[in-house]
Amino acid sequence: MAFYAPPIARLLEELERLPGIGPKSAQRLAYHILRGDTEAAARLADAIVEVKRAIRFCERCFNFAESELCEMCADPTRDATTMCVVEEPRDVVAVERTGEFRGTYHVLQGAISPIDGIGPEQLRVRELIDRLGRESVSEVILATDPDIEGETTALYIARLVKPLGIRVTRIASGLPVGGDLEYADEVTLGRALEARREM
Amino acid sequence: MPSYRVRALALKKTKLGESDLIVTLLAEDGCQVRAVAKGARKPGSRFGARVEPYTVGDFMLSTGRTLEVITDAQTAESHQHIREDYDRAQAASVVADVLDKISVECQTEERLFGLAVATLGALQAADGDDLLALTVAFLVKAMAMHGYRPQFDACPVCGGPVHADEERFSLEAGGPLCEGCEAGAAETARMSPGARNALVALLGATMAEVPGLGVPRPVLLDAFGLMRAFVGYHLPARCRALDLYAAAVGR
Protein backbone atom coordinates (compact mmCIF):
# COMPACT_ATOMS: atom_id res chain seq x y z
CA MET A 1 0.00 0.00 0.00
CA ALA A 2 1.39 3.41 -1.01
CA PHE A 3 1.40 5.94 1.84
CA TYR A 4 2.05 8.94 -0.40
CA ALA A 5 0.75 10.21 -3.73
CA PRO A 6 3.37 9.46 -6.45
CA PRO A 7 4.65 13.09 -6.76
CA ILE A 8 5.22 13.29 -2.98
CA ALA A 9 6.91 9.89 -2.97
CA ARG A 10 9.21 11.07 -5.76
CA LEU A 11 10.09 14.27 -3.87
CA LEU A 12 10.80 12.26 -0.70
CA GLU A 13 13.00 9.87 -2.66
CA GLU A 14 15.06 12.78 -4.06
CA LEU A 15 15.33 14.58 -0.72
CA GLU A 16 16.51 11.40 1.02
CA ARG A 17 19.45 11.26 -1.38
CA LEU A 18 20.83 14.46 0.19
CA PRO A 19 23.54 14.09 2.86
CA GLY A 20 22.22 14.09 6.40
CA ILE A 21 18.59 13.79 5.30
CA GLY A 22 16.76 10.75 6.60
CA PRO A 23 13.12 9.74 6.05
CA LYS A 24 11.75 11.98 8.82
CA SER A 25 13.71 15.06 7.71
CA ALA A 26 12.69 14.42 4.10
CA GLN A 27 9.05 14.24 5.16
CA ARG A 28 9.36 17.51 7.11
CA LEU A 29 10.97 19.29 4.13
CA ALA A 30 8.43 17.88 1.68
CA TYR A 31 5.48 19.01 3.81
CA HIS A 32 7.07 22.44 4.22
CA ILE A 33 7.34 22.75 0.43
CA LEU A 34 3.75 21.54 0.00
CA ARG A 35 2.41 24.03 2.53
CA GLY A 36 4.32 26.95 0.98
CA ASP A 37 3.21 28.89 -2.10
CA THR A 38 4.00 27.82 -5.65
CA GLU A 39 6.42 30.73 -6.18
CA ALA A 40 8.59 29.66 -3.24
CA ALA A 41 8.78 26.11 -4.62
CA ALA A 42 9.67 27.48 -8.06
CA ARG A 43 12.41 29.70 -6.57
CA LEU A 44 13.92 26.68 -4.78
CA ALA A 45 13.81 24.56 -7.93
CA ASP A 46 15.31 27.42 -10.01
CA ALA A 47 18.10 27.95 -7.48
CA ILE A 48 19.05 24.27 -7.62
CA VAL A 49 19.04 24.19 -11.43
CA GLU A 50 20.89 27.53 -11.63
CA VAL A 51 23.68 26.48 -9.25
CA LYS A 52 24.31 23.32 -11.24
CA ARG A 53 24.28 25.25 -14.52
CA ALA A 54 26.36 28.26 -13.51
CA ILE A 55 28.94 26.93 -11.05
CA ARG A 56 32.11 25.15 -12.12
CA PHE A 57 35.63 24.71 -10.82
CA CYS A 58 38.05 27.64 -10.92
CA GLU A 59 40.66 26.85 -13.58
CA ARG A 60 43.44 28.04 -11.31
CA CYS A 61 42.66 26.92 -7.75
CA PHE A 62 39.74 24.44 -8.22
CA ASN A 63 37.46 26.31 -5.84
CA PHE A 64 33.84 26.73 -6.97
CA ALA A 65 33.55 29.60 -9.45
CA GLU A 66 30.93 31.31 -11.59
CA SER A 67 33.42 32.14 -14.36
CA GLU A 68 36.89 30.89 -15.35
CA LEU A 69 38.41 32.18 -12.13
CA CYS A 70 36.88 32.25 -8.65
CA GLU A 71 36.49 35.52 -6.73
CA MET A 72 39.73 35.01 -4.82
CA CYS A 73 41.83 34.23 -7.91
CA ALA A 74 40.30 37.14 -9.84
CA ASP A 75 41.02 39.63 -7.03
CA PRO A 76 44.28 41.51 -7.90
CA THR A 77 44.61 42.89 -4.36
CA ARG A 78 45.25 39.47 -2.81
CA ASP A 79 48.80 38.45 -1.85
CA ALA A 80 49.93 36.09 -4.62
CA THR A 81 53.09 35.07 -2.75
CA THR A 82 51.20 33.12 -0.05
CA MET A 83 49.08 30.11 -0.94
CA CYS A 84 46.77 28.20 1.37
CA VAL A 85 46.18 24.56 0.41
CA VAL A 86 42.85 23.10 1.57
CA GLU A 87 40.93 19.88 1.00
CA GLU A 88 37.49 21.15 -0.04
CA PRO A 89 35.88 24.37 -1.30
CA ARG A 90 34.02 24.67 2.03
CA ASP A 91 37.41 24.96 3.74
CA VAL A 92 38.07 28.13 1.70
CA VAL A 93 34.93 29.62 3.25
CA ALA A 94 36.10 28.59 6.74
CA VAL A 95 39.52 30.25 6.27
CA GLU A 96 37.96 33.36 4.69
CA ARG A 97 35.64 33.73 7.70
CA THR A 98 38.68 34.21 9.96
CA GLY A 99 39.63 37.40 8.07
CA GLU A 100 43.29 36.53 8.83
CA PHE A 101 44.35 35.38 5.38
CA ARG A 102 44.65 37.52 2.23
CA GLY A 103 46.60 35.15 -0.01
CA THR A 104 45.47 32.70 -2.69
CA TYR A 105 44.09 29.17 -2.37
CA HIS A 106 44.49 25.76 -3.90
CA VAL A 107 41.72 23.21 -3.39
CA LEU A 108 42.88 19.59 -3.54
CA GLN A 109 39.36 18.16 -3.90
CA GLY A 110 39.95 15.63 -1.12
CA ALA A 111 42.68 14.05 0.97
CA ILE A 112 44.87 10.98 0.65
CA SER A 113 43.01 8.01 2.13
CA PRO A 114 44.64 4.69 1.19
CA ILE A 115 41.91 2.65 2.88
CA ASP A 116 39.36 4.31 0.56
CA GLY A 117 41.64 3.93 -2.46
CA ILE A 118 42.31 7.68 -2.72
CA GLY A 119 45.93 8.35 -3.61
CA PRO A 120 47.71 11.54 -4.70
CA GLU A 121 46.70 10.89 -8.34
CA GLN A 122 43.03 11.38 -7.48
CA LEU A 123 43.73 14.83 -6.03
CA ARG A 124 44.77 18.15 -7.61
CA VAL A 125 48.37 17.71 -6.48
CA ARG A 126 49.93 17.76 -9.94
CA GLU A 127 48.08 21.00 -10.68
CA LEU A 128 49.44 22.46 -7.42
CA ILE A 129 53.03 21.66 -8.39
CA ASP A 130 52.41 23.13 -11.87
CA ARG A 131 51.06 26.32 -10.27
CA LEU A 132 54.04 26.62 -7.96
CA GLY A 133 56.30 26.34 -11.01
CA ARG A 134 54.43 29.14 -12.83
CA GLU A 135 53.56 31.54 -10.01
CA SER A 136 55.87 33.40 -7.65
CA VAL A 137 54.77 31.77 -4.39
CA SER A 138 57.13 32.07 -1.43
CA GLU A 139 55.03 30.26 1.23
CA VAL A 140 52.59 27.37 1.05
CA ILE A 141 50.31 26.98 4.09
CA LEU A 142 49.01 23.42 4.43
CA ALA A 143 45.51 23.76 5.90
CA THR A 144 44.30 20.19 5.45
CA ASP A 145 42.23 18.65 8.26
CA PRO A 146 44.19 17.64 11.40
CA ASP A 147 43.12 14.00 11.02
CA ILE A 148 45.07 11.04 9.66
CA GLU A 149 44.03 11.72 6.03
CA GLY A 150 44.80 15.44 6.25
CA GLU A 151 48.14 14.85 8.00
CA THR A 152 49.18 12.26 5.41
CA THR A 153 48.24 14.64 2.60
CA ALA A 154 50.18 17.48 4.23
CA LEU A 155 53.27 15.25 4.63
CA TYR A 156 53.07 14.20 0.99
CA ILE A 157 52.73 17.76 -0.31
CA ALA A 158 55.51 19.04 1.97
CA ARG A 159 57.78 16.36 0.55
CA LEU A 160 57.06 17.58 -3.00
CA VAL A 161 57.14 21.33 -2.35
CA LYS A 162 60.18 21.70 -0.07
CA PRO A 163 62.70 20.77 -2.79
CA LEU A 164 61.31 23.67 -4.87
CA GLY A 165 62.79 26.08 -2.32
CA ILE A 166 59.37 27.28 -1.15
CA ARG A 167 58.63 27.72 2.56
CA VAL A 168 56.09 25.12 3.70
CA THR A 169 54.06 25.73 6.88
CA ARG A 170 51.29 23.77 8.58
CA ILE A 171 48.36 25.31 10.42
CA ALA A 172 48.73 24.92 14.18
CA SER A 173 46.84 22.34 16.22
CA GLY A 174 45.71 23.05 19.72
CA LEU A 175 42.90 23.72 22.14
CA PRO A 176 39.63 25.20 20.89
CA VAL A 177 38.87 28.67 22.25
CA GLY A 178 36.27 28.32 25.02
CA GLY A 179 37.14 24.67 25.68
CA ASP A 180 38.13 23.08 28.98
CA LEU A 181 41.73 21.90 29.32
CA GLU A 182 40.73 18.82 31.31
CA TYR A 183 38.64 17.47 28.43
CA ALA A 184 41.38 17.85 25.83
CA ASP A 185 42.77 14.60 24.48
CA GLU A 186 46.45 13.79 24.97
CA VAL A 187 47.50 14.37 21.34
CA THR A 188 45.79 17.76 21.05
CA LEU A 189 47.12 18.95 24.41
CA GLY A 190 50.59 17.65 23.52
CA ARG A 191 50.55 19.60 20.28
CA ALA A 192 49.29 22.71 22.02
CA LEU A 193 52.22 22.51 24.44
CA GLU A 194 54.64 21.85 21.60
CA ALA A 195 53.45 24.93 19.69
CA ARG A 196 53.29 27.23 22.77
CA ARG A 197 54.35 30.83 22.25
CA GLU A 198 56.09 33.54 24.23
CA MET A 199 53.82 36.05 25.97
CA MET B 1 21.35 0.80 27.10
CA PRO B 2 23.88 -1.62 28.64
CA SER B 3 27.42 -0.33 28.52
CA TYR B 4 30.79 -2.03 28.71
CA ARG B 5 34.47 -1.15 28.53
CA VAL B 6 36.76 -2.50 25.84
CA ARG B 7 40.38 -1.93 24.88
CA ALA B 8 40.57 -1.57 21.12
CA LEU B 9 42.55 -0.29 18.16
CA ALA B 10 40.84 2.23 15.87
CA LEU B 11 41.14 0.99 12.29
CA LYS B 12 38.93 3.21 10.19
CA LYS B 13 36.43 6.02 10.41
CA THR B 14 33.50 6.91 8.21
CA LYS B 15 31.66 10.22 8.25
CA LEU B 16 28.10 10.05 9.56
CA GLY B 17 25.69 12.98 9.31
CA GLU B 18 26.86 16.50 10.11
CA SER B 19 29.50 15.84 12.74
CA ASP B 20 29.47 12.17 13.77
CA LEU B 21 31.79 9.32 12.86
CA ILE B 22 31.38 5.58 12.57
CA VAL B 23 34.60 4.16 13.98
CA THR B 24 35.70 0.63 13.13
CA LEU B 25 37.54 -0.86 16.09
CA LEU B 26 39.55 -4.04 16.55
CA ALA B 27 38.83 -5.15 20.09
CA GLU B 28 41.42 -6.84 22.29
CA ASP B 29 39.74 -10.23 21.70
CA GLY B 30 40.08 -9.80 17.92
CA CYS B 31 36.41 -9.02 17.25
CA GLN B 32 35.52 -6.10 15.04
CA VAL B 33 33.27 -3.47 16.62
CA ARG B 34 31.62 -0.62 14.75
CA ALA B 35 30.63 2.28 16.95
CA VAL B 36 29.29 5.79 16.55
CA ALA B 37 31.35 8.66 18.00
CA LYS B 38 28.84 11.49 18.28
CA GLY B 39 30.16 14.96 17.46
CA ALA B 40 33.68 13.57 16.90
CA ARG B 41 34.29 15.84 13.88
CA LYS B 42 33.73 19.05 15.84
CA PRO B 43 36.92 20.81 16.98
CA GLY B 44 35.73 20.85 20.59
CA SER B 45 34.83 17.16 20.68
CA ARG B 46 35.96 15.25 23.77
CA PHE B 47 36.88 12.33 21.52
CA GLY B 48 39.25 14.30 19.28
CA ALA B 49 42.32 12.23 18.46
CA ARG B 50 41.12 9.33 20.61
CA VAL B 51 39.16 7.78 17.75
CA GLU B 52 41.72 8.50 15.02
CA PRO B 53 43.01 5.41 13.16
CA TYR B 54 46.02 3.62 14.76
CA THR B 55 45.05 4.82 18.25
CA VAL B 56 44.80 2.14 20.94
CA GLY B 57 42.39 3.18 23.63
CA ASP B 58 39.99 2.17 26.34
CA PHE B 59 36.49 2.76 25.03
CA MET B 60 33.24 2.78 26.95
CA LEU B 61 30.55 1.51 24.57
CA SER B 62 26.79 1.48 24.85
CA THR B 63 24.74 -0.97 22.86
CA GLY B 64 22.66 0.94 20.34
CA ARG B 65 19.90 -0.23 18.03
CA THR B 66 22.21 -0.98 15.09
CA LEU B 67 25.68 0.19 16.11
CA GLU B 68 27.44 0.64 19.43
CA VAL B 69 27.81 4.21 20.73
CA ILE B 70 31.10 5.47 22.18
CA THR B 71 30.34 7.27 25.45
CA ASP B 72 33.91 7.68 26.69
CA ALA B 73 37.43 7.13 25.35
CA GLN B 74 40.91 7.23 26.88
CA THR B 75 44.10 6.93 24.84
CA ALA B 76 46.49 4.11 25.72
CA GLU B 77 48.87 4.56 22.76
CA SER B 78 48.36 7.13 20.00
CA HIS B 79 51.14 5.86 17.67
CA GLN B 80 51.87 9.52 17.00
CA HIS B 81 55.15 8.88 15.13
CA ILE B 82 53.22 7.04 12.41
CA ARG B 83 51.21 10.18 11.67
CA GLU B 84 54.37 12.28 11.41
CA ASP B 85 55.97 10.35 8.56
CA TYR B 86 54.40 9.72 5.14
CA ASP B 87 56.10 6.34 4.55
CA ARG B 88 55.11 5.04 7.99
CA ALA B 89 51.54 6.24 7.48
CA GLN B 90 51.37 4.37 4.16
CA ALA B 91 52.62 1.13 5.72
CA ALA B 92 50.21 1.53 8.65
CA SER B 93 47.31 2.05 6.24
CA VAL B 94 47.97 -1.46 4.86
CA VAL B 95 47.83 -2.86 8.40
CA ALA B 96 44.53 -1.09 9.13
CA ASP B 97 42.95 -2.03 5.79
CA VAL B 98 43.87 -5.73 6.04
CA LEU B 99 42.66 -5.88 9.67
CA ASP B 100 39.41 -4.21 8.63
CA LYS B 101 38.91 -6.91 5.99
CA ILE B 102 39.87 -9.98 8.05
CA SER B 103 38.34 -9.14 11.42
CA VAL B 104 34.70 -10.07 11.93
CA GLU B 105 32.09 -8.98 14.46
CA CYS B 106 31.68 -11.48 17.31
CA GLN B 107 34.47 -13.71 15.98
CA THR B 108 37.35 -13.81 18.45
CA GLU B 109 41.00 -14.15 17.41
CA GLU B 110 43.02 -12.84 20.32
CA ARG B 111 46.37 -12.99 18.51
CA LEU B 112 45.17 -10.45 15.91
CA PHE B 113 45.11 -7.51 18.34
CA GLY B 114 48.57 -8.39 19.63
CA LEU B 115 49.90 -8.60 16.08
CA ALA B 116 48.31 -5.25 15.18
CA VAL B 117 49.74 -3.44 18.20
CA ALA B 118 53.19 -5.03 17.77
CA THR B 119 53.25 -4.06 14.07
CA LEU B 120 52.21 -0.45 14.70
CA GLY B 121 54.72 -0.23 17.55
CA ALA B 122 57.50 -1.49 15.29
CA LEU B 123 56.44 0.84 12.43
CA GLN B 124 56.76 3.83 14.78
CA ALA B 125 60.51 3.37 15.04
CA ALA B 126 61.20 2.02 11.54
CA ASP B 127 62.52 3.72 8.41
CA GLY B 128 63.36 2.82 4.80
CA ASP B 129 63.36 -0.88 3.90
CA ASP B 130 62.41 -1.88 7.46
CA LEU B 131 58.93 -0.51 6.78
CA LEU B 132 58.57 -2.84 3.79
CA ALA B 133 59.91 -5.80 5.81
CA LEU B 134 57.42 -5.10 8.61
CA THR B 135 54.56 -4.79 6.11
CA VAL B 136 55.40 -8.14 4.48
CA ALA B 137 55.83 -9.78 7.90
CA PHE B 138 52.44 -8.41 8.96
CA LEU B 139 50.76 -9.71 5.80
CA VAL B 140 52.10 -13.26 6.13
CA LYS B 141 51.34 -13.42 9.88
CA ALA B 142 47.86 -11.90 9.50
CA MET B 143 46.98 -14.38 6.76
CA ALA B 144 48.23 -17.21 8.98
CA MET B 145 45.99 -16.03 11.82
CA HIS B 146 43.11 -15.74 9.37
CA GLY B 147 43.48 -19.43 8.55
CA TYR B 148 45.68 -19.17 5.47
CA ARG B 149 49.16 -19.96 6.79
CA PRO B 150 51.46 -20.52 3.80
CA GLN B 151 53.39 -23.78 3.77
CA PHE B 152 56.91 -23.55 2.38
CA ASP B 153 58.65 -26.86 3.14
CA ALA B 154 56.52 -29.23 1.06
CA CYS B 155 53.94 -29.16 -1.72
CA PRO B 156 50.66 -28.07 -0.05
CA VAL B 157 48.62 -30.29 -2.41
CA CYS B 158 50.37 -33.69 -2.15
CA GLY B 159 53.01 -33.13 0.54
CA GLY B 160 55.79 -34.04 -1.92
CA PRO B 161 59.22 -32.37 -2.14
CA VAL B 162 59.51 -29.01 -3.91
CA HIS B 163 62.30 -27.45 -6.03
CA ALA B 164 65.15 -25.57 -4.46
CA ASP B 165 65.18 -22.97 -7.26
CA GLU B 166 62.35 -20.79 -8.61
CA GLU B 167 58.91 -22.24 -8.01
CA ARG B 168 55.25 -21.63 -8.72
CA PHE B 169 53.39 -20.69 -5.56
CA SER B 170 49.79 -21.86 -5.47
CA LEU B 171 47.59 -19.00 -4.30
CA GLU B 172 44.74 -21.41 -3.65
CA ALA B 173 46.73 -24.03 -1.69
CA GLY B 174 49.14 -21.51 -0.13
CA GLY B 175 52.55 -22.96 -0.93
CA PRO B 176 55.12 -23.91 -3.58
CA LEU B 177 53.99 -26.74 -5.83
CA CYS B 178 55.93 -29.88 -6.73
CA GLU B 179 56.50 -30.71 -10.41
CA GLY B 180 53.55 -33.09 -10.53
CA CYS B 181 51.01 -30.68 -9.04
CA GLU B 182 52.34 -27.62 -10.89
CA ALA B 183 51.00 -28.82 -14.26
CA GLY B 184 47.31 -28.64 -13.38
CA ALA B 185 47.43 -25.63 -11.04
CA ALA B 186 45.38 -22.60 -12.10
CA GLU B 187 46.12 -19.59 -9.84
CA THR B 188 49.84 -19.44 -9.22
CA ALA B 189 52.49 -16.76 -8.72
CA ARG B 190 56.28 -16.85 -9.17
CA MET B 191 58.29 -17.37 -6.00
CA SER B 192 62.06 -16.88 -6.01
CA PRO B 193 64.21 -18.84 -3.54
CA GLY B 194 65.08 -15.53 -1.85
CA ALA B 195 61.44 -14.64 -1.36
CA ARG B 196 60.74 -18.09 0.04
CA ASN B 197 63.57 -17.86 2.57
CA ALA B 198 62.55 -14.31 3.50
CA LEU B 199 58.91 -15.31 4.10
CA VAL B 200 59.98 -18.28 6.24
CA ALA B 201 62.21 -15.96 8.29
CA LEU B 202 59.56 -13.24 8.59
CA LEU B 203 56.90 -15.74 9.63
CA GLY B 204 59.16 -17.10 12.37
CA ALA B 205 60.38 -13.76 13.70
CA THR B 206 58.67 -11.44 16.17
CA MET B 207 57.85 -7.95 14.89
CA ALA B 208 60.66 -6.51 17.00
CA GLU B 209 63.10 -8.92 15.34
CA VAL B 210 62.01 -8.19 11.74
CA PRO B 211 64.17 -5.06 11.14
CA GLY B 212 67.25 -7.01 12.31
CA LEU B 213 66.80 -9.73 9.68
CA GLY B 214 68.36 -7.46 7.04
CA VAL B 215 66.45 -8.87 4.05
CA PRO B 216 67.61 -7.07 0.85
CA ARG B 217 65.06 -4.78 -0.81
CA PRO B 218 64.75 -6.74 -4.13
CA VAL B 219 63.94 -9.89 -2.15
CA LEU B 220 61.45 -7.99 0.01
CA LEU B 221 59.76 -6.66 -3.13
CA ASP B 222 59.46 -10.23 -4.49
CA ALA B 223 58.01 -11.42 -1.18
CA PHE B 224 55.65 -8.42 -1.05
CA GLY B 225 54.38 -9.11 -4.59
CA LEU B 226 53.70 -12.72 -3.68
CA MET B 227 51.90 -11.85 -0.45
CA ARG B 228 49.87 -9.16 -2.19
CA ALA B 229 48.64 -11.76 -4.72
CA PHE B 230 47.95 -14.23 -1.86
CA VAL B 231 45.98 -11.66 0.14
CA GLY B 232 44.07 -10.54 -2.95
CA TYR B 233 43.15 -14.16 -3.78
CA HIS B 234 41.77 -15.01 -0.34
CA LEU B 235 40.18 -11.84 1.00
CA PRO B 236 36.58 -11.18 -0.02
CA ALA B 237 37.12 -7.45 -0.67
CA ARG B 238 39.88 -5.55 -2.41
CA CYS B 239 42.53 -4.01 -0.14
CA ARG B 240 42.91 -0.59 -1.72
CA ALA B 241 45.63 0.50 0.70
CA LEU B 242 47.66 -2.51 -0.42
CA ASP B 243 47.31 -1.44 -4.07
CA LEU B 244 48.44 2.10 -3.27
CA TYR B 245 51.33 0.82 -1.18
CA ALA B 246 52.40 -1.47 -4.05
CA ALA B 247 52.48 1.54 -6.39
CA ALA B 248 54.47 3.54 -3.83
CA VAL B 249 57.16 0.88 -3.34
CA GLY B 250 57.36 0.24 -7.08
CA ARG B 251 55.81 -3.20 -7.19
Side-chain angles (χ1 to χ4, degrees):
Chain A
M1 187 185 122
F3 293 107
Y4 302 106
I8 300 177
R10 193 178 146 219
L11 177 61
L12 289 172
E13 196 182 313
E14 293 302 325
L15 289 170
E16 280 179 42
R17 289 180 205 272
L18 298 173
I21 303 292
K24 291 294 274 182
S25 300
Q27 190 189 53
R28 197 166 61 247
L29 291 170
Y31 284 173
H32 175 80
I33 292 166
L34 281 170
R35 274 196 297 269
D37 54 33
T38 310
E39 288 73 28
R43 280 198 304 275
L44 175 63
D46 285 348
I48 293 170
V49 173
E50 174 70 6
V51 79
K52 281 302 291 176
R53 190 192 60 76
I55 300 297
R56 51 183 159 166
F57 288 123
C58 170
E59 289 181 3
R60 195 163 153 211
C61 75
F62 301 98
N63 187 13
F64 287 133
E66 204 175 345
S67 54
E68 277 182 16
L69 296 178
C70 68
E71 283 179 34
M72 268 68 80
C73 288
D75 183 351
T77 66
R78 295 190 78 102
D79 176 13
T81 63
T82 312
M83 183 190 287
C84 183
V85 177
V86 295
E87 291 181 17
E88 302 285 351
R90 59 174 176 258
D91 298 330
V92 172
V93 179
V95 177
E96 280 297 293
R97 275 204 198 115
T98 66
E100 297 285 332
F101 182 71
R102 288 291 301 162
T104 58
Y105 291 92
H106 188 87
V107 183
L108 295 169
Q109 305 288 351
I112 295 172
S113 178
I115 209 159
D116 298 313
I118 301 171
E121 294 76 25
Q122 279 80 48
L123 308 177
R124 302 286 187 179
V125 176
R126 187 175 297 170
E127 289 85 347
L128 169 67
I129 302 302
D130 288 347
R131 272 186 77 184
L132 294 174
R134 283 195 313 269
E135 299 173 20
S136 51
V137 177
S138 59
E139 182 180 358
V140 170
I141 302 169
L142 299 173
T144 51
D145 290 346
D147 57 11
I148 192 72
E149 293 85 7
E151 296 288 359
T152 306
T153 308
L155 288 167
Y156 180 77
I157 293 172
R159 184 184 275 192
L160 294 180
V161 176
K162 275 183 180 175
L164 303 176
I166 298 169
R167 185 177 180 227
V168 182
T169 55
R170 178 89 173 105
I171 52 165
S173 293
L175 299 168
V177 175
D180 276 9
L181 200 73
E182 63 174 313
Y183 292 118
D185 65 83
E186 299 76 7
V187 176
T188 307
L189 192 51
R191 285 194 186 182
L193 283 169
E194 203 176 88
R196 68 189 182 279
R197 60 182 181 178
E198 191 93 33
M199 288 189 76
Chain B
M1 283 198 299
S3 57
Y4 58 98
R5 185 172 291 276
V6 64
R7 173 157 286 202
L9 164 70
L11 298 177
K12 188 175 126 179
K13 55 183 190 166
T14 311
K15 288 179 182 176
L16 176 70
E18 281 294 306
S19 61
D20 303 342
L21 286 174
I22 297 175
V23 185
T24 305
L25 302 166
L26 178 73
E28 206 167 17
D29 61 3
C31 294
Q32 189 179 103
V33 180
R34 295 179 78 227
V36 176
K38 290 187 175 170
R41 282 154 60 202
K42 289 181 182 169
S45 164
R46 64 203 161 109
F47 297 124
R50 291 170 180 145
V51 293
E52 276 290 287
Y54 320 140
T55 301
V56 177
D58 293 312
F59 298 90
M60 182 65 87
L61 304 176
S62 290
T63 308
R65 270 194 304 179
T66 51
L67 296 168
E68 311 292 78
V69 179
I70 301 175
T71 54
D72 189 27
Q74 293 296 324
T75 307
E77 173 56 71
S78 64
H79 293 114
Q80 185 59 21
H81 294 305
I82 289 176
R83 294 167 225 276
E84 293 166 355
D85 182 273
Y86 181 69
D87 296 327
R88 287 178 196 153
Q90 272 202 314
S93 72
V94 174
V95 175
D97 199 7
V98 170
L99 289 170
D100 176 46
K101 301 290 186 301
I102 67 176
S103 58
V104 181
E105 284 181 44
C106 303
Q107 188 173 306
T108 57
E109 171 49 270
E110 286 170 13
R111 295 173 303 166
L112 212 51
F113 182 81
L115 173 67
V117 173
T119 307
L120 294 175
L123 286 175
Q124 286 220 97
D127 280 313
D129 289 348
D130 288 346
L131 293 172
L132 182 58
L134 287 165
T135 307
V136 178
F138 167 78
L139 290 175
V140 67
K141 286 170 189 288
M143 289 305 284
M145 289 178 188
H146 192 45
Y148 299 100
R149 185 188 174 96
Q151 179 184 321
F152 296 104
D153 53 354
C155 174
V157 178
C158 68
V162 289
H163 308 275
D165 51 359
E166 191 169 304
E167 296 152 345
R168 300 305 300 176
F169 181 95
S170 168
L171 298 178
E172 186 185 3
L177 298 168
C178 67
E179 268 184 63
C181 296
E182 196 179 305
E187 297 278 353
T188 63
R190 188 185 72 85
M191 183 174 75
S192 67
R196 175 186 168 166
N197 294 338
L199 286 169
V200 170
L202 292 169
L203 194 55
T206 64
M207 279 300 179
E209 291 166 349
V210 166
L213 293 175
V215 183
R217 186 174 174 83
V219 175
L220 280 175
L221 285 172
D222 270 358
F224 174 75
L226 185 64
M227 286 317 299
R228 185 186 167 208
F230 189 55
V231 169
Y233 184 82
H234 287 287
L235 292 199
R238 190 173 156 198
C239 276
R240 289 163 168 175
L242 197 52
D243 296 342
L244 285 175
Y245 189 68
V249 297
R251 183 75 199 190

